[in-house]
Each structure stands twice: as structure tokens, then as C-alpha cells.
């Protein structure tokens, strides 16, 4: 069971070409404008986690935790993200489970090179650190590991790294596309998983969020972000190459045009977790176009 957020679901910028087709046979979105036309706000975001619903064989009684994300970069310097996620799940049958994930990634401005390092623990017991690099061309993904041991593997076809995937998602949303399918590698877990993804994109909106009238996502209902265009997105993750119709999990969120996300909900089938954006620190300097 994978409780860590796919990192780049919370950031976006630039342009890329998605792999044709997807797990549900949906067509890929058409290419959009160049990456410099999409500017990502450098920011630090804090999301508090809570249980939304629970039923079935893997049901939990409560869930809590926090995600902290620091994002920096642009199309010239590349994009760096540091993430920490602590999640506590309580179950009457299996007891309490506390997972602690620390992840650092770097993706170049063109989305061809990717570095990732992940350290994690469950109930205080640490797992081996995963440290590696990856390169993606039009014909294959190649991944090389330094830790936990030197190794490598490759996957044929077009595979997108996370921020490039999300840059394509913003392009598709701007172009009025309703779906986007792509293969994605984010270096999470053991660093060996390539996911088939299918995004369903809703109508654009501005003004009060769906959380209006509650305390949820308060930073998105105040100030400049209250007038920034956003799209409701449902992003499903499937086991790569399996052709399965049931996703491993589904992430629903509001994707803002500057790359910030709100209204998070992770649905694992037997239970779902909400992410409430409780703090958002935006860089004071406005993002400006960059020509690599």
C-alpha cells in the first residue's frame, strides 16, 4: 500500500508530449504552448491529513499526518522539490502504523533528466535509502541506482517525469482537453515503478473554492489565489503495463494555474484521506519567463 503522495502532483510548469493512449485507451492531449508560457510559483505548502472515509477489508479507524513541500526552480535552472510526509493510520485490528517519508528530487527544465533520493521508515524502523538518476528520451526510460545497491533498468517508450507530466496537464487543461494519459516515473517507493496514469480534467473555475464555508484550504480562499484559474482533476494511477481497469489509487485535487494544488483527496478504495492546505508561503518575487 502506497501512502506517499506522488510528488509532482502538487507542482507544474512548462510543456511536454504525453505518451499516446493510456490505461483506458484515451487519446493523449494535443501538444500545447511552450514551457516558458507556464510559470510555476516557487512556494512552501503545508497540508494536514485526515480520514475522509473508510470501509472494506483494509479499513482504518483514523488517519492523521502532515505533508510539507518546498519547491524551487524554473525552466533554466530546473526544478527542485523537498518533501516530508508523516502519516499515522490507526486500526482496531492491526494497531497503529506511522510512516515517515523524506524525498528530494531534481528535474531539468526540459524534463529529460531526473535525480531522486528517498528515505523512509515505518514505526521507527528505517528502510534502505533509495538514491538514483534517470533519463527519458522518446524511445526509453533509463534508471540507474547508487543506493541501496548499484543497479540499472530500462523501460521502452515515452515516460514522463513528474513535473513534466504536470506541465502537460496544465497545457491540456488550458487547451480545453478533458483527459490526459501518460506513463510516469517519480522515483518513489523502491524507485522501480513506472505507472500508467489517466487524468480527467473538469471545467475551469475562479472565485470561491469547493471548500467555501469551511476552514479547509483557507490560504486558497484569500488574497491573490482567490482569483487564479483552477481546474478540478481526478488522476488515477495504474500498475504499469498490466492493463488493469482498477487503479492502485486515485488522487482528486484542484490544480491552480500557478502550480499550487488544493482540495486534495487520496482514495485507496478501502479508505480515503483528505489533505487540507493550512499554510502557503509564496516567493515574493513574481515568476518571470525563462529561455533555457
Amino acid at each position: 500500500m502506497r501512502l506517499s503522495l506522488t510528488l509532482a502532483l502538487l507542482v507544474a510548469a512548462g510543456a511536454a508530449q504525453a505518451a499516446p493512449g493510456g490505461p483506458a485507451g484515451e487519446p493523449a492531449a494535443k501538444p500545447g504552448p511552450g514551457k516558458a508560457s507556464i510559470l510555476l510559483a516557487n512556494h512552501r505548502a503545508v497540508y494536514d491529513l485526515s480520514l475522509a472515509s473508510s470501509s472494506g477489508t483494509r479499513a482504518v479507524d483514523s488517519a492523521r499526518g502532515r505533508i510539507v513541500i518546498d519547491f524551487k526552480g524554473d525552466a533554466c535552472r530546473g526544478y527542485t522539490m523537498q518533501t516530508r510526509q508523516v502519516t499515522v493510520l490507526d486500526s482496531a485490528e492491526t494497531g497503529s502504523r506511522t510512516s515517515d517519508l523524506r524525498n528530494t528530487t531534481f528535474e531539468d527544465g526540459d524534463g529529460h533528466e531526473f535525480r531522486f533520493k528517498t528515505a523512509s521508515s515505518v514505526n521507527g524502523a528505517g528502510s534502505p535509502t533509495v538514491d538514483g538518476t534517470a533519463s527519458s528520451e522518446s524511445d526509453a526510460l533509463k534508471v540507474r541506482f547508487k543506493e541501496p545497491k548499484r543497479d540499472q533498468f530500462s523501460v521502452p517508450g515515452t515516460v514522463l517525469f513528474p513535473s513534466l507530466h504536470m506541465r502537460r496537464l496544465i497545457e491540456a487543461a488550458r487547451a480545453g482537453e478533458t483527459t490526459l494519459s501518460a506513463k510516469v516515473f517519480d522515483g518513489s517507493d523502491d524507485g522501480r515503478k513506472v505507472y500508467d496514469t489517466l487524468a480527467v480534467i473538469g471545467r475551469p473555475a475562479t472565485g470561491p473554492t469547493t471548500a467555501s464555508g469551511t476552514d479547509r484550504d483557507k490560504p486558497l480562499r484569500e488574497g491573490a489565489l482567490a482569483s487564479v484559474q483552477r481546474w478540478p482533476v481526478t488522476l488515477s494511477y495504474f500498475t504499469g503495463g498490466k492493463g488493469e481497469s482498477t487503479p492502485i489509487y486515485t488522487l482528486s485535487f484542484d490544480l491552480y494555474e500557478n502550480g499550487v494544488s488544493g482540495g486534495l483527496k487520496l482514495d485507496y478504495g478501502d479508505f480515503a484521506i483528505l489533505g487540507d492546505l493550512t499554510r502557503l508561503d509564496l516567493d515574493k518575487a513574481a515568476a518571470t519567463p525563462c529561455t533555457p
Side-chain angles (χ1 to χ4, degrees):
M1 181 168 46
R2 189 167 176 269
L3 289 176
S4 61
L5 280 173
T6 301
L7 303 178
L9 293 177
L10 306 179
V11 297
Q17 184 169 349
E26 297 287 348
K30 299 176 182 178
K35 65 185 169 205
S37 66
I38 298 177
L39 301 178
L40 173 67
N42 288 199
H43 65 282
R44 183 177 190 269
V46 178
Y47 298 83
D48 285 348
L49 306 179
S50 61
L51 185 65
S53 61
S54 182
S55 63
T57 58
R58 296 186 302 164
V60 297
D61 298 315
S62 67
R64 61 191 185 278
R66 176 168 291 179
I67 302 169
V68 180
I69 295 176
D70 285 286
F71 177 87
K72 301 288 183 183
D74 56 35
C76 290
R77 296 174 294 166
Y79 305 96
T80 300
M81 190 186 317
Q82 294 182 318
T83 302
R84 183 176 184 186
Q85 176 175 337
V86 177
T87 308
V88 181
L89 299 178
D90 293 315
S91 169
E93 293 186 4
T94 60
S96 180
R97 181 180 185 273
T98 300
S99 60
D100 188 346
L101 169 72
R102 299 171 187 262
N103 184 278
T104 300
T105 64
F106 172 81
E107 186 174 333
D108 72 353
D110 291 327
H112 293 306
E113 302 294 331
F114 187 63
R115 299 198 300 266
F116 56 96
K117 186 172 184 178
T118 301
S120 62
S121 66
V122 176
N123 290 342
S127 299
T129 297
V130 178
D131 188 353
T133 62
S135 61
S136 182
E137 303 297 338
S138 60
D139 60 340
L141 167 76
K142 298 179 180 180
V143 181
R144 294 178 175 84
F145 295 97
K146 293 189 292 184
E147 293 185 84
K149 66 177 182 178
R150 292 191 176 276
D151 197 4
Q152 61 184 10
F153 73 93
S154 62
V155 175
T158 300
V159 179
L160 305 184
F161 297 132
S163 66
L164 188 56
H165 175 219
M166 295 307 291
R167 297 189 312 243
R168 271 305 280 119
L169 184 55
I170 287 182
E171 280 194 333
R174 282 183 170 182
E177 300 288 343
T178 57
T179 61
L180 175 69
S181 59
K183 294 182 180 297
V184 175
F185 174 82
D186 62 8
S188 60
D189 293 336
D190 61 0
R192 294 181 175 274
K193 295 179 175 63
V194 176
Y195 297 94
D196 291 332
T197 69
L198 176 63
V200 177
I201 308 167
R203 295 177 179 272
T206 55
T209 71
T210 54
S212 296
T214 72
D215 291 331
R216 190 179 181 197
D217 291 338
K218 187 176 181 180
L220 297 178
R221 294 184 279 114
E222 300 175 345
L225 282 178
S227 60
V228 173
Q229 184 171 234
R230 67 182 186 277
W231 299 267
V233 175
T234 300
L235 182 59
S236 298
Y237 275 67
F238 302 80
T239 302
K242 298 295 185 180
E244 297 175 347
S245 58
T246 302
I248 304 169
Y249 73 90
T250 300
L251 174 64
S252 302
F253 60 105
D254 289 334
L255 177 61
Y256 283 71
E257 197 167 32
N258 68 349
V260 175
S261 291
L264 300 179
K265 182 179 181 180
L266 293 104
D267 191 340
Y268 294 93
D270 289 331
F271 65 94
I273 295 176
L274 296 178
D276 174 19
L277 180 62
T278 56
R279 179 170 178 176
L280 178 64
D281 299 322
L282 297 169
D283 277 10
K284 294 181 179 180
T288 57
C290 171
T291 303

